[in-house]
Amino acid sequence: MASHRRPKQPSRTRVTVLTATAAAAVALSSQAAQADPHQQSKKDVKSEVDKLYEQAEQATEKYNGAKEQQDKLQKEVDDLQDKVARGQGELNQLRKGLGAVASGQYRSGSIDPSVQLFLSGDPDTYLEKAATLDQLSGKQAEQLKTIADKQRRLAQERAEAASKIKDLSETRKALGDKKDEIKGKLAKAQELLNTLTAKERAAMQAKEDRANRSNERVNLGDDVPASQRGAAALQAAQSKIGSPYVWGATGPSSFDCSGLTSWAYQQAGQSLPRTSQAQANAGTRIGSESALKPGDLVLFYDDLHHIGLYAGNGQVLHAPKPGAAVRYEAMGNMPFMFGVRV
């Protein structure tokens, strides 16, 4: 007859050891998965890279604004410096003319003490003493006043030029900082991409290539353009489909987002500001997506750092991001803010 003994139960100590061993194995496995970059999903890497590209585009629009300000300040500085140089030349001529009068008086032994005083000091101080003007001939008094006025204007222009030069220096520094930030974001994105296998990178690139080729089959509908100018701008942008995104570029062979829209409208005879935020004020705002017409500007994200051209049937034509080409894309892929009818 078979024995029906109860199986021996493991001791409490043994159970504790087994449980601890299993928990440690799970923890080690989890840590190993986290430590191994190849355990990180391709989707996670792509999401982080896209985020870095978006941050780079935000910095790019700030760079574009600083670049525009730098160009404006440089022109103002150049104009002021030219003005100061011309003013100094005119002042030298006036002084030379008055000096010739004084020389003639000196040779005749009758130099006017007021002229002598002027030539040796500051005419402003002298002219404040109105009674002294009585000692001058009418012509000399007029010359002295002209010279004094010229000196005052010249001092103001020099001060204004110095202030503009300071602003220009600060703007150049901001420009350099933004340039470094953009390069840093793009370098970090590349580092992340390098953690993927060659096969995974090829798959991501193939997906990007398919998105670029989607232009061949996109349906734009039959919406009437917002205006003749809007139609011309859209047509110009369509001629650049396939051109690469390059930050800070305004065409004609490469573009960033606001570079494409400003270039397209320039071809239509309309000048637009350089940045997406400034272009947001370039016309009448269209709050509803359903009210958009082909050729309207369309702005995305809360800070308006991305812009494109409405192409019809819910499609935007834009320069999307680093590594992509000018192409059509569904507007629903980005948070739409509003449109602008130029």
Side-chain angles (χ1 to χ4, degrees):
M1 185 172 178
S3 174
H4 296 286
R5 293 179 183 175
R6 291 176 61 190
K8 187 177 180 180
Q9 297 295 319
S11 68
R12 179 175 295 176
T13 301
R14 188 177 174 216
V15 170
T16 303
V17 170
L18 288 171
T19 303
T21 302
V26 170
L28 287 170
S29 174
S30 174
Q31 289 173 4
Q34 291 175 1
D36 184 357
H38 293 296
Q39 294 294 323
Q40 190 177 15
S41 74
K42 183 173 67 175
K43 183 179 179 182
D44 290 341
V45 170
K46 184 180 185 307
S47 175
E48 185 63 23
V49 167
D50 285 344
K51 184 178 177 182
L52 285 165
Y53 282 161
E54 184 183 333
Q55 290 170 354
E57 189 174 40
Q58 288 175 307
T60 293
E61 286 306 294
K62 290 177 182 176
Y63 170 90
N64 291 338
K67 180 71 168 64
E68 186 176 44
Q69 179 67 5
Q70 176 190 259
D71 294 344
K72 179 183 176 185
L73 282 170
Q74 185 64 66
K75 186 177 185 309
E76 290 176 356
V77 166
D78 291 344
D79 290 345
L80 278 169
Q81 288 178 332
D82 286 345
K83 193 174 181 181
V84 166
R86 287 194 305 272
Q88 185 64 57
E90 292 169 3
L91 182 60
N92 291 342
Q93 285 297 112
L94 287 169
R95 281 174 168 166
K96 186 178 178 182
L98 193 59
V101 171
S103 296
Q105 291 178 345
Y106 179 79
R107 284 192 299 271
S108 66
S110 60
I111 186 169
D112 193 310
S114 60
V115 175
Q116 185 178 8
L117 178 61
F118 168 75
L119 292 173
S120 63
D122 180 4
D124 275 344
T125 303
Y126 182 66
L127 287 172
E128 286 173 2
K129 301 174 182 178
T132 314
L133 288 175
D134 295 337
Q135 301 175 28
L136 302 172
S137 69
K139 184 176 181 181
Q140 287 174 339
E142 186 179 344
Q143 285 177 315
L144 283 173
K145 188 174 185 310
T146 300
I147 289 173
D149 290 343
K150 177 66 73 175
Q151 284 182 317
R152 277 193 291 269
R153 285 197 300 273
L154 204 53
Q156 290 170 354
E157 287 163 2
R158 283 198 173 110
E160 188 179 353
S163 175
K164 292 290 182 184
I165 289 170
K166 182 174 179 291
D167 291 344
L168 181 59
S169 177
E170 292 171 354
T171 302
R172 280 177 176 157
K173 184 181 182 305
L175 195 64
D177 291 344
K178 283 303 164 191
K179 188 174 183 178
D180 290 343
E181 182 180 350
I182 294 163
K183 287 183 174 180
K185 299 290 184 186
L186 296 180
K188 191 172 179 182
Q190 189 58 55
E191 286 176 12
L192 274 173
L193 290 172
N194 290 342
T195 65
L196 300 176
T197 65
K199 185 177 180 181
E200 288 170 335
R201 287 198 299 271
M204 285 181 66
Q205 187 57 53
K207 185 176 180 181
E208 197 65 51
D209 291 343
R210 285 194 298 274
N212 289 335
R213 289 195 301 271
S214 66
N215 302 286
E216 301 167 5
R217 57 183 180 278
V218 68
N219 177 14
L220 299 179
D222 55 2
D223 291 349
V224 177
S227 65
Q228 186 175 356
R229 184 165 289 169
L234 179 59
Q235 186 176 17
Q238 288 168 330
S239 73
K240 294 302 176 179
I241 288 175
S243 298
Y245 177 102
V246 174
W247 65 270
T250 57
S253 56
S254 58
F255 304 87
D256 61 22
C257 69
S258 57
L260 176 66
T261 50
S262 59
W263 179 87
Y265 264 93
Q266 187 178 31
Q267 309 317 301
Q270 176 68 49
S271 177
L272 290 184
R274 176 62 182 92
T275 67
S276 56
Q277 291 91 344
Q279 290 179 20
N281 299 311
T284 304
R285 291 197 177 187
I286 311 296
S288 168
E289 188 174 332
S290 61
L292 292 172
K293 294 288 185 181
D296 286 340
L297 299 173
V298 280
L299 289 113
F300 301 91
Y301 300 99
D302 291 340
D303 62 352
L304 310 179
H305 72 259
H306 190 72
I307 193 168
L309 288 160
Y310 184 67
N313 199 28
Q315 298 287 319
V316 59
L317 179 58
H318 66 153
K321 60 184 179 181
V326 173
R327 69 191 186 203
Y328 296 111
E329 192 167 342
M331 285 181 56
N333 292 346
M334 297 171 286
F336 168 72
M337 295 293 107
F338 55 84
V340 173
R341 189 156 296 158
V342 178

